[in-house]
Amino acid sequence: MSGEHWMNVTTIDDSWEVEMDASRGAWRHRQISRNDVTTDWIPGRPPSGPYAKKD
């Protein structure tokens, strides 16, 4: 399905790679790759950093 439009919004000092899809209000995150090892995307906002969900 081509309805996803992910945009990378990761900040320099963030420990998470973060993407958002503004058209759907969706978020996903994963740990920043170290030594070219990437992890799978986790749905939702990251637990810490500037894009963490605020209460």
Side-chain angles (χ1 to χ4, degrees), residues 4-8 19-22 24 26-29 43-44:
E4 296 186 357
H5 304 283
W6 294 105
M7 179 177 68
N8 192 302
E19 291 188 343
M20 70 173 294
D21 184 341
R24 298 183 303 123
W27 293 80
R28 66 184 181 182
H29 66 282

Side-chain angles (χ1 to χ4, degrees), residues 17-37:
E17 185 175 359
V18 183
E19 291 188 343
M20 70 173 294
D21 184 341
S23 66
R24 298 183 303 123
W27 293 80
R28 66 184 181 182
H29 66 282
R30 65 183 176 187
Q31 288 188 323
I32 294 215
S33 61
R34 307 257 187 253
N35 302 322
D36 295 326
V37 174

